[in-house]
C-alpha cells in the first residue's frame, strides 16, 4: 500500500508550530505495518493544496491530508479538494447535529459560520469528531481518474487532540478493512534507559543475526537517556520471530528495559508504587520541579505521589528539608552529603516510603575543576537507608533536567524491583 501524507498549514511553514502530525502519523502507521512513501507540507492556499493532492493521487493508494477543516477563512482544504475532484459539497445534517451538540454541551450557542463544517463532498464517508467540530472525510477515488487503481483520500482535522482519537478509532480500522496489508505484520518496541545506542546494538545485534536472516527487522531510536529497540517482522512466522527476538533482547539487556510499546518511565514508576502501596516525595534543586512535573503528568499519580520541594538556594535546603548548615559549608550544595540529607529530610517530613533528591550544576556557569558543569548527585531514601549516586550530564539546561530526572526515576525503579 503506497501512502503519502500532506500536512497543510501556512503556520507550519512559518515555523510557528511544529509539525507533530508528520511524526505521529508516521509512527502510528509504521506500528501498524504501513510504510509512508512521501510526506509534504504545503501552505493553506488553493493552488498549493490542489497541486500536492493531484500529484499524490497519481501515485498513492492512500493520501492523508491534515488541517484546514475548521470554520475560519484560512480553513479551505475541504473546498479546494472538492473542487479538484469535481465533487459538490452537500449539507450533512448528522454532522450539523454533532456540531450543535458540541456547543450545547458547553452551554454555548453555535457560532454563525460553523455550518461550513457540515458541508461534505458528495460520496464522502464522514468520520465523526467526538473532540471537536470539524469531521474527518474519507473519499474513494475511482480507478482511472488519476491513476490506474482506486485510491483513498482522507482529510483529518488539524488539532492533535481531535486527529489522534479520530485516527485510532476510525482511520486505523478503515485501513484494516479497505487497505489490508499483504502479509501479517507485528512489531514490538522495548524501551531502555541507561545504555547508549551503540552499546545496545553491540550487545544484541550478533545474537539476533539468525533471526534477522529469517526476516526480523531491528530498529534503534535514540533519544535523551533512552534507546528504543523496535523489533518487527512480516509474514506467517512474524509472531514466532518477534517472541524469540524479545527473549534474546531481554536476556541480554533486560535490566535496562523499563517498558514496552513506548511507555514512559514516570508512568512505570507510578504503576510500581501503586502496586506496592508505597508513597513517594521529592526534593529538587537544579531540576526545578521537572521530576514532580513528569510524575504528575501521569493520571492517577495522586494515589502515590505525596508532594515535594524545590529548594534552589541553600537557605531553602536548610529551612524546608533540614539540611545542616555545616554540611553545606563543608561539602557544598552539590555534594553527596547534601543529596543524602535532602532525600532523608524529604522522606521524613513528608512521611513517605521513598524520597528522591536531586542537586547538581546545570550550567553554563557555576562549574569548577572538581565539580564541572553537569555534575549531579541523586539521592534515594528508602525505609531503611539512603543511597546517593553521582552522574555527569554536561547538557543544555532543559536536556539536563530531563536526563537527570530520568536517572532519578531509574534509581527508584531498580529499588522497587529489588
Ligand atoms: P480548527 O477547527 O481548529 O481551525 P483545522 O482542521 O482547520 O482546525 P488548522 O486550522 O489547520 O486545523 O489547525 C488548527 C490547529 O491545529 C493549529 O493552529 C495547530 O495548533 C494544530 N495543528 C495543525 N496542523 C498541525 C500539525 N501538522 N502538527 C501539529 N499541530 C497542528
Ligand atoms: Mg483552522
Amino acid at each position: 500500500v503506497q501512502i503519502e501524507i500532506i500536512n497543510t498549514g501556512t503556520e507550519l511553514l512559518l515555523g510557528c508550530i511544529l509539525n507533530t502530525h508528520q511524526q505521529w502519523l508516521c509512527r502510528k502507521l509504521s506500528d501498524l505495518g504501513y510504510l509512508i512513501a512521501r510526506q509534504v507540507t504545503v501552505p493553506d492556499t488553493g493552488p498549493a493544496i490542489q497541486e500536492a493532492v493531484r500529484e499524490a493521487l497519481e501515485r498513492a493508494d492512500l493520501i492523508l491530508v491534515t488541517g484546514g477543516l475548521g470554520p475560519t477563512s484560512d480553513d479551505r482544504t475541504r473546498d479546494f479538494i472538492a473542487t479538484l475532484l469535481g465533487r459538490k459539497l452537500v449539507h450533512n445534517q448528522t454532522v450539523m447535529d454533532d456540531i450543535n451538540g458540541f456547543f450545547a454541551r458547553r452551554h454555548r450557542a453555535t457560532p454563525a459560520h460553523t455550518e461550513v463544517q457540515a458541508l461534505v463532498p458528495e460520496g464522502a464517508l464522514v468520520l465523526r469528531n467526538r473532540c471537536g467540530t470539524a469531521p474527518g472525510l474519507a473519499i474513494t477515488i475511482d480507478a482511472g481518474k488519476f491513476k490506474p487503481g482506486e485510491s483513498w483520500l482522507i482529510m483529518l482535522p488539524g488539532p492533535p487532540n481531535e486527529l489522534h482519537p479520530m485516527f485510532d478509532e476510525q482511520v486505523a480500522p478503515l485501513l484494516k478493512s479497505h487497505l489490508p496489508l499483504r502479509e501479517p505484520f507485528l512489531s514490538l518496541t522495548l524501551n531502555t534507559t541507561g545504555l547508549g545506542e551503540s552499546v545496545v546494538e553491540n550487545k544484541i545485534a550478533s545474537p539476533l543475526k539468525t533471526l534477522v536472516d529469517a526476516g526480523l527487522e531491528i530498529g534503534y531510536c535514540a533519544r535523551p537517556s533512552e534507546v528504543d529497540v523496535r523489533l518487527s517482522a512480516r509474514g506467517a512466522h512474524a509472531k514466532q520471530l518477534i517472541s524469540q527476538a524479545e527473549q534474546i533482547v531481554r536476556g541480554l539487556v533486560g535490566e535496562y528495559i523499563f517498558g514496552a510499546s513506548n511507555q514512559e518511565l514516570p508512568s512505570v514508576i507510578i504503576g510500581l508504587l501503586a502496586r506496592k502501596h508505597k508513597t513517594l516525595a521529592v526534593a529538587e534543586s537544579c531540576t526545578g520541579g521537572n521530576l514532580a512535573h513528569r510524575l504528575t503528568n501521569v493520571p492517577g499519580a495522586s494515589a502515590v505521589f505525596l508532594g515535594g520541594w524545590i529548594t534552589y538556594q541553600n537557605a531553602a535546603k536548610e529551612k524546608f528539608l533540614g539540611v545542616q548548615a555545616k554540611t553545606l559549608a563543608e561539602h557544598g550544595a552539590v555534594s553527596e552529603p547534601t543529596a543524602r540529607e535532602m532525600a532523608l529530610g524529604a522522606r521524613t517530613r513528608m512521611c513517605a516510603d521513598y524520597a528522591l533528591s536531586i542537586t547538581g550544576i546545570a550550567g553554563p556557569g557555576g562549574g569548577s575543576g572538581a565539580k564541572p558543569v553537569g555534575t549531579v548527585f541523586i539521592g534515594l531514601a528508602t525505609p531503611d537507608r539512603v543511597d546517593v549516586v553521582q552522574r555527569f550530564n554536561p547538557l543544555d539546561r532543559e536536556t539536563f533536567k530531563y536526563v537527570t530526572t530520568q536517572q532519578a526515576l531509574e534509581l527508584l525503579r531498580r529499588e522497587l524491583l529489588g
Side-chain angles (χ1 to χ4, degrees), residues 194-205:
L195 292 177
E197 184 177 23
S198 48
V199 179
V200 174
E201 182 170 12
N202 279 339
K203 284 181 188 281
I204 67 173

Side-chain angles (χ1 to χ4, degrees), residues 210-234:
T210 3
L211 296 179
V212 170
D213 293 339
L216 176 79
E217 282 182 40
I218 317 171
Y220 303 91
C221 175
R223 288 181 276 158
S225 75
E226 189 171 327
V227 176
D228 302 335
V229 179
R230 183 173 186 270
L231 306 167
S232 59
R234 285 172 205 274

Side-chain angles (χ1 to χ4, degrees), residues 98-408:
D98 281 349
I99 295 172
N100 287 329
F102 177 90
F103 288 105
R105 279 192 301 281
R106 283 157 183 78
H107 306 289
R108 282 158 58 194
T110 304
H113 41 273
T114 314
E115 71 275 355
V116 296
Q117 294 174 105
L119 293 174
V120 171
E122 273 176 322
L125 182 72
V126 168
L127 309 175
R128 291 168 77 175
N129 187 343
R130 71 176 169 78
C131 304
T133 52
L137 299 164
I139 304 178
T140 45
I141 289 132
D142 293 340
K145 190 157 164 83
F146 293 88
K147 75 178 213 324
E150 184 188 82
S151 317
W152 279 84
L153 188 152
I154 302 181
M155 292 177 244
L156 296 168
N161 70 313
E162 299 176 25
L163 180 142
H164 294 181
M166 193 179 284
F167 182 90
D168 287 337
E169 294 161 17
Q170 301 181 73
V171 179
L174 189 148
L175 288 181
K176 240 187 189 159
S177 57
H178 294 281
L179 291 160
L181 294 169
R182 267 197 218 103
E183 342 172 73
F185 171 87
L186 275 178
S187 82
L188 171 71
T189 302
L190 297 171
N191 308 105
T192 74
T193 187
L195 292 177
E197 184 177 23
S198 48
V199 179
V200 174
E201 182 170 12
N202 279 339
K203 284 181 188 281
I204 67 173
S206 31
L208 289 174
K209 173 95 177 43
T210 3
L211 296 179
V212 170
D213 293 339
L216 176 79
E217 282 182 40
I218 317 171
Y220 303 91
C221 175
R223 288 181 276 158
S225 75
E226 189 171 327
V227 176
D228 302 335
V229 179
R230 183 173 186 270
L231 306 167
S232 59
R234 285 172 205 274
H237 302 299
K239 194 167 175 190
Q240 199 189 336
L241 281 173
I242 302 280
S243 84
Q244 286 176 353
E246 178 179 9
Q247 230 172 354
I248 292 173
V249 176
R250 286 196 185 273
L252 293 168
V253 295
E255 62 174 304
Y256 301 95
I257 298 174
F258 65 84
S261 307
N262 305 315
Q263 257 179 314
E264 302 221 17
L265 193 46
S267 80
V268 172
I269 294 293
I270 297 293
L272 281 172
L273 288 167
R275 214 169 319 139
K276 293 179 172 266
H277 303 287
K278 300 292 183 201
T279 56
L280 173 66
V282 300
E284 301 181 64
S285 185
C286 54
T287 48
N290 190 269
L291 183 55
H293 168 70
R294 293 186 62 200
L295 286 163
T296 53
N297 279 344
V298 181
S302 62
V304 294
F305 177 61
L306 301 182
W309 293 264
I310 303 165
T311 53
Y312 216 56
Q313 291 201 345
N314 285 356
K317 291 181 181 68
E318 286 181 46
K319 183 171 171 190
F320 297 106
L321 299 170
V323 176
Q324 304 283 309
K326 190 163 166 278
T327 307
L328 292 164
E330 280 177 16
H331 304 277
V334 179
S335 66
E336 199 266 2
T338 299
R340 179 175 297 276
E341 289 180 23
M342 285 172 71
L344 199 58
R347 181 177 177 274
T348 334
R349 290 174 184 218
M350 196 67 85
C351 299
D353 296 303
Y354 296 95
L356 283 168
S357 69
I358 296 174
T359 178
I361 307 161
S368 67
K371 290 177 192 170
V373 165
T375 302
V376 60
F377 292 87
I378 302 170
L380 169 63
T382 74
D384 47 32
R385 55 173 217 286
V386 183
D387 292 340
V388 178
V389 297
Q390 183 175 352
R391 296 282 184 262
F392 183 52
N393 304 326
L395 302 159
D396 66 89
R397 284 173 79 87
E398 207 170 319
T399 316
F400 170 90
K401 287 183 180 180
Y402 186 85
V403 168
T404 304
T405 56
Q406 192 84 347
Q407 290 161 343

